[in-house]
Amino acid sequence: MANVSHTRGDITTHPDASEMRERYARMLGGRDVALVDGPVFLLGLYCAVSPWILHYTTSQPNLVTHNLIVGIAIGLLALGFTQTPERMYGLSWAMCALGVWMIVSPWIVGESPDAGVIWNNIVIGAVAVMLGLICIGTAARSAPRT
C-alpha cells in the first residue's frame, strides 16, 4: 500500500511560503486588534437582546427600543471594523461614546428603572468604553508615523 499520510514538516521549505506570508499580512491589513472585533459584535448582540433576557420588556418599553437600536449600532460598528478596518478604526471613539451613553441612558430614557436594568446598562456601557479604548489605542499605535 502507498503511504498517503502527510508528514508535518516545517513550512519554511514550502516554495510559496513568502507569498503566503505576504497574502496573510495583506488580509489582516496590519491590524493588531482583530481579536477585539468578535467581542464588540457579541456586546452589540447582547445589548440588542438584553431586554428579553432580563425581562424588562413590559416595565421599560422605551429602554427596550433604545437597547435594540444601540445594540444594532454596536454590531454594525463591529462589522465595519472587520470589513474595512483602515477606514473604521477612525470611528473607535464612537464605541466610547455609545458606552458612555449606555451608562447614563437608564435615567434619561427609562422611567424609574430598577437595579437590574441600571446594572445591565452600566456593564454594557463600561465594556463598550473599554473595547473602544482598546481599538483607539491599537489604531493609534499601528498608524503610520509622519
Side-chain angles (χ1 to χ4, degrees), residues 64-112:
V64 171
T65 306
H66 169 268
N67 281 18
L68 180 64
I69 291 170
V70 172
I72 291 171
I74 292 172
L76 288 175
L77 274 174
L79 290 176
F81 290 159
T82 303
Q83 293 296 321
T84 56
E86 60 279 351
R87 290 195 283 179
M88 288 297 291
Y89 280 127
L91 288 177
S92 298
W93 60 269
M95 277 293 296
C96 295
L98 284 171
V100 170
W101 173 248
M102 281 300 292
I103 291 171
V104 299
S105 66
W107 296 281
I108 296 173
V109 178
E111 300 166 7
S112 62

Side-chain angles (χ1 to χ4, degrees), residues 4-143:
V4 292
S5 62
H6 297 285
T7 59
R8 302 223 184 247
D10 191 12
I11 195 162
T12 57
T13 60
H14 193 279
D16 296 328
S18 62
E19 180 184 342
M20 288 188 289
R21 278 193 206 100
E22 289 172 11
R23 183 183 302 165
Y24 183 72
R26 241 186 357 259
M27 181 190 71
L28 282 181
R31 298 186 305 144
D32 293 335
V33 76
L35 294 176
V36 178
D37 298 345
V40 169
F41 182 77
L42 290 176
L43 179 70
L45 181 66
Y46 174 74
C47 181
V49 299
S50 65
W52 291 275
I53 292 173
L54 297 178
H55 304 291
Y56 62 87
T57 54
T58 56
S59 65
Q60 298 291 330
N62 293 338
L63 275 176
V64 171
T65 306
H66 169 268
N67 281 18
L68 180 64
I69 291 170
V70 172
I72 291 171
I74 292 172
L76 288 175
L77 274 174
L79 290 176
F81 290 159
T82 303
Q83 293 296 321
T84 56
E86 60 279 351
R87 290 195 283 179
M88 288 297 291
Y89 280 127
L91 288 177
S92 298
W93 60 269
M95 277 293 296
C96 295
L98 284 171
V100 170
W101 173 248
M102 281 300 292
I103 291 171
V104 299
S105 66
W107 296 281
I108 296 173
V109 178
E111 300 166 7
S112 62
D114 62 351
V117 173
I118 292 170
W119 278 109
N120 178 58
N121 281 16
I122 288 174
V123 169
I124 290 172
V127 171
V129 168
M130 181 186 67
L131 290 173
L133 290 173
I134 291 171
C135 289
I136 289 171
T138 305
R141 187 172 32 115
S142 65

